[in-house]
Amino acid sequence: MHPDLPVRILVLRPPGGVTFAVQKGKDELLPPAEITEEHLTFDFTLRVHGDPQEGPPNFRGPFAQGPPHGRFVYVNSGTAAGQHASVWTRRAKIQLGGIGWDLIAKVQAKDGALLEARIAGTGKDGGPACATVPLVGGGWKVVP
């Protein structure tokens, strides 16, 4: 079975005045589903391929970037997110390696459940987060 996996990324406390978007494919952008002062919410789906008996899941689809055993999702900001007048051009890389078959099974077992990751939206320099970012709160979590 190669299920679709609903995913949510929360960008916590992003810097004001900066546009964020999840990269879809090479040059499309997914805007936030929700914007508040405290966070941005991105909802999308990854396709899961592979066999639990043969190794870790392989994530595919337009939001999965990188090689099969090193997949990630990009959260772009500033000009990389379509904000042409921004002084920022950044991408935060969210690793998918922490998603195992156990988490996928838990999401599939609950109607309406999804897999959520949270990242800090602001980097140490006060600009948008960039490079490979750590997940806040212990990693990927199943949420109802």
CSV table of all heavy atoms in Angstrom, one decimal, residues 89-117:
chain,number,residue,atom,x,y,z
A,89,THR,N,16.3,36.1,1.1
A,89,THR,CA,16.1,35.0,0.2
A,89,THR,C,16.6,33.8,0.9
A,89,THR,O,17.8,33.5,1.0
A,89,THR,CB,17.0,35.2,-1.1
A,89,THR,OG1,16.6,36.4,-1.7
A,89,THR,CG2,16.8,34.0,-2.1
A,90,ARG,N,15.7,33.0,1.6
A,90,ARG,CA,16.1,31.9,2.4
A,90,ARG,C,15.2,30.7,2.2
A,90,ARG,O,14.0,30.8,1.8
A,90,ARG,CB,16.0,32.3,3.9
A,90,ARG,CG,17.2,33.3,4.2
A,90,ARG,CD,17.3,33.5,5.7
A,90,ARG,NE,18.6,34.2,6.0
A,90,ARG,CZ,18.9,34.6,7.2
A,90,ARG,NH1,18.1,34.4,8.2
A,90,ARG,NH2,20.0,35.3,7.3
A,91,ARG,N,15.7,29.5,2.6
A,91,ARG,CA,15.0,28.3,2.6
A,91,ARG,C,15.3,27.5,3.9
A,91,ARG,O,16.5,27.3,4.2
A,91,ARG,CB,15.3,27.4,1.4
A,91,ARG,CG,14.9,28.0,0.1
A,91,ARG,CD,14.8,27.1,-1.1
A,91,ARG,NE,16.1,26.5,-1.4
A,91,ARG,CZ,16.4,25.7,-2.4
A,91,ARG,NH1,15.4,25.4,-3.2
A,91,ARG,NH2,17.5,25.2,-2.6
A,92,ALA,N,14.3,27.1,4.6
A,92,ALA,CA,14.5,26.2,5.8
A,92,ALA,C,14.3,24.8,5.3
A,92,ALA,O,13.2,24.5,4.6
A,92,ALA,CB,13.6,26.6,6.9
A,93,LYS,N,15.2,23.9,5.6
A,93,LYS,CA,15.0,22.5,5.2
A,93,LYS,C,14.5,21.7,6.4
A,93,LYS,O,15.1,21.7,7.5
A,93,LYS,CB,16.4,22.0,4.8
A,93,LYS,CG,16.4,20.6,4.3
A,93,LYS,CD,17.8,20.0,4.0
A,93,LYS,CE,18.4,20.6,2.8
A,93,LYS,NZ,19.7,19.9,2.4
A,94,ILE,N,13.4,21.0,6.2
A,94,ILE,CA,12.8,20.2,7.3
A,94,ILE,C,13.0,18.7,6.9
A,94,ILE,O,12.4,18.3,5.9
A,94,ILE,CB,11.3,20.5,7.5
A,94,ILE,CG1,11.2,22.0,7.9
A,94,ILE,CG2,10.7,19.6,8.5
A,94,ILE,CD1,9.8,22.5,7.9
A,95,GLN,N,13.8,18.0,7.6
A,95,GLN,CA,14.1,16.6,7.3
A,95,GLN,C,12.9,15.7,7.6
A,95,GLN,O,12.2,15.9,8.6
A,95,GLN,CB,15.3,16.1,8.2
A,95,GLN,CG,16.6,16.9,7.9
A,95,GLN,CD,17.2,16.6,6.6
A,95,GLN,OE1,16.9,15.6,5.9
A,95,GLN,NE2,18.2,17.4,6.2
A,96,LEU,N,12.7,14.8,6.7
A,96,LEU,CA,11.6,13.8,6.8
A,96,LEU,C,12.1,12.5,7.4
A,96,LEU,O,11.3,11.6,7.7
A,96,LEU,CB,11.0,13.5,5.4
A,96,LEU,CG,10.3,14.8,4.8
A,96,LEU,CD1,9.8,14.4,3.4
A,96,LEU,CD2,9.3,15.4,5.7
A,97,GLY,N,13.4,12.4,7.6
A,97,GLY,CA,14.0,11.1,8.2
A,97,GLY,C,13.4,10.7,9.5
A,97,GLY,O,13.5,9.5,9.8
A,98,GLY,N,12.9,11.6,10.3
A,98,GLY,CA,12.3,11.2,11.6
A,98,GLY,C,10.9,10.6,11.5
A,98,GLY,O,10.4,10.2,12.5
A,99,ILE,N,10.4,10.5,10.3
A,99,ILE,CA,9.1,9.8,10.1
A,99,ILE,C,9.3,8.4,9.8
A,99,ILE,O,9.8,8.0,8.7
A,99,ILE,CB,8.3,10.5,9.0
A,99,ILE,CG1,8.1,12.0,9.2
A,99,ILE,CG2,6.9,9.9,8.8
A,99,ILE,CD1,7.5,12.8,8.1
A,100,GLY,N,8.9,7.5,10.7
A,100,GLY,CA,9.0,6.1,10.5
A,100,GLY,C,7.7,5.4,10.2
A,100,GLY,O,6.6,6.1,10.3
A,101,TRP,N,7.7,4.1,10.0
A,101,TRP,CA,6.5,3.4,9.7
A,101,TRP,C,5.5,3.4,10.8
A,101,TRP,O,4.3,3.4,10.6
A,101,TRP,CB,6.8,2.0,9.3
A,101,TRP,CG,7.5,1.9,8.0
A,101,TRP,CD1,8.8,1.5,7.7
A,101,TRP,CD2,6.9,2.1,6.7
A,101,TRP,NE1,9.1,1.5,6.4
A,101,TRP,CE2,8.0,1.9,5.7
A,101,TRP,CE3,5.7,2.4,6.2
A,101,TRP,CZ2,7.7,2.0,4.3
A,101,TRP,CZ3,5.5,2.6,4.9
A,101,TRP,CH2,6.5,2.3,3.9
A,102,ASP,N,6.0,3.5,12.1
A,102,ASP,CA,5.2,3.5,13.3
A,102,ASP,C,4.3,4.8,13.3
A,102,ASP,O,3.1,4.7,13.5
A,102,ASP,CB,6.0,3.4,14.5
A,102,ASP,CG,7.1,4.5,14.7
A,102,ASP,OD1,7.6,5.0,13.6
A,102,ASP,OD2,7.5,4.9,15.8
A,103,LEU,N,4.9,6.0,13.0
A,103,LEU,CA,4.1,7.2,12.9
A,103,LEU,C,3.1,7.2,11.8
A,103,LEU,O,2.0,7.6,11.9
A,103,LEU,CB,5.0,8.4,12.8
A,103,LEU,CG,5.8,8.8,14.0
A,103,LEU,CD1,6.8,10.0,13.7
A,103,LEU,CD2,4.9,9.2,15.1
A,104,ILE,N,3.5,6.6,10.6
A,104,ILE,CA,2.6,6.5,9.5
A,104,ILE,C,1.4,5.7,9.9
A,104,ILE,O,0.2,6.1,9.6
A,104,ILE,CB,3.3,6.0,8.3
A,104,ILE,CG1,4.4,7.0,7.8
A,104,ILE,CG2,2.3,5.7,7.1
A,104,ILE,CD1,5.4,6.4,6.8
A,105,ALA,N,1.6,4.6,10.5
A,105,ALA,CA,0.5,3.7,11.0
A,105,ALA,C,-0.4,4.4,11.9
A,105,ALA,O,-1.6,4.2,11.9
A,105,ALA,CB,1.1,2.4,11.6
A,106,LYS,N,0.1,5.2,12.9
A,106,LYS,CA,-0.7,5.9,13.8
A,106,LYS,C,-1.6,6.9,13.1
A,106,LYS,O,-2.8,7.1,13.5
A,106,LYS,CB,0.2,6.6,14.9
A,106,LYS,CG,0.8,5.6,15.9
A,106,LYS,CD,1.7,6.3,16.8
A,106,LYS,CE,2.4,5.3,17.8
A,106,LYS,NZ,3.4,6.0,18.6
A,107,VAL,N,-1.1,7.6,12.1
A,107,VAL,CA,-1.9,8.6,11.4
A,107,VAL,C,-3.0,7.9,10.7
A,107,VAL,O,-4.2,8.3,10.7
A,107,VAL,CB,-1.0,9.4,10.4
A,107,VAL,CG1,-1.9,10.2,9.5
A,107,VAL,CG2,0.0,10.3,11.1
A,108,GLN,N,-2.7,6.7,10.0
A,108,GLN,CA,-3.7,6.0,9.3
A,108,GLN,C,-4.8,5.4,10.1
A,108,GLN,O,-5.9,5.2,9.7
A,108,GLN,CB,-3.0,4.9,8.4
A,108,GLN,CG,-2.2,5.5,7.3
A,108,GLN,CD,-1.5,4.4,6.5
A,108,GLN,OE1,-1.1,3.3,7.1
A,108,GLN,NE2,-1.2,4.6,5.3
A,109,ALA,N,-4.4,5.1,11.4
A,109,ALA,CA,-5.4,4.5,12.3
A,109,ALA,C,-6.4,5.4,12.8
A,109,ALA,O,-7.5,5.0,13.4
A,109,ALA,CB,-4.6,3.8,13.5
A,110,LYS,N,-6.2,6.7,12.7
A,110,LYS,CA,-7.1,7.7,13.3
A,110,LYS,C,-7.7,8.6,12.2
A,110,LYS,O,-7.0,9.2,11.4
A,110,LYS,CB,-6.4,8.7,14.2
A,110,LYS,CG,-6.2,8.3,15.6
A,110,LYS,CD,-5.6,9.5,16.4
A,110,LYS,CE,-5.5,9.1,17.8
A,110,LYS,NZ,-4.7,10.1,18.5
A,111,ASP,N,-9.1,8.6,12.1
A,111,ASP,CA,-9.7,9.4,11.1
A,111,ASP,C,-9.4,10.9,11.3
A,111,ASP,O,-9.5,11.4,12.5
A,111,ASP,CB,-11.2,9.3,11.2
A,111,ASP,CG,-11.7,8.1,10.3
A,111,ASP,OD1,-10.9,7.6,9.5
A,111,ASP,OD2,-12.9,7.8,10.4
A,112,GLY,N,-9.0,11.6,10.3
A,112,GLY,CA,-8.7,13.0,10.4
A,112,GLY,C,-7.3,13.3,11.0
A,112,GLY,O,-7.0,14.5,11.2
A,113,ALA,N,-6.5,12.3,11.4
A,113,ALA,CA,-5.2,12.6,12.0
A,113,ALA,C,-4.2,13.1,10.9
A,113,ALA,O,-4.4,12.8,9.7
A,113,ALA,CB,-4.7,11.4,12.7
A,114,LEU,N,-3.2,13.7,11.4
A,114,LEU,CA,-2.1,14.1,10.5
A,114,LEU,C,-0.8,14.2,11.2
A,114,LEU,O,-0.8,14.1,12.5
A,114,LEU,CB,-2.4,15.5,9.8
A,114,LEU,CG,-2.8,16.7,10.7
A,114,LEU,CD1,-1.5,17.4,11.2
A,114,LEU,CD2,-3.6,17.7,9.8
A,115,LEU,N,0.3,14.3,10.5
A,115,LEU,CA,1.6,14.4,11.1
A,115,LEU,C,2.0,15.8,11.1
A,115,LEU,O,2.0,16.5,10.1
A,115,LEU,CB,2.5,13.5,10.3
A,115,LEU,CG,3.8,12.9,11.0
A,115,LEU,CD1,3.4,12.2,12.3
A,115,LEU,CD2,4.5,12.0,10.0
A,116,GLU,N,2.5,16.3,12.3
A,116,GLU,CA,2.8,17.7,12.5
A,116,GLU,C,4.2,17.9,12.9
A,116,GLU,O,4.7,17.1,13.8
A,116,GLU,CB,1.9,18.3,13.5
A,116,GLU,CG,2.1,19.8,13.7
A,116,GLU,CD,1.1,20.4,14.7
A,116,GLU,OE1,0.0,20.8,14.4
A,116,GLU,OE2,1.5,20.4,15.9
A,117,ALA,N,4.9,18.9,12.3
A,117,ALA,CA,6.2,19.3,12.8
A,117,ALA,C,6.1,20.8,13.0
A,117,ALA,O,5.4,21.6,12.4
A,117,ALA,CB,7.3,19.0,11.8
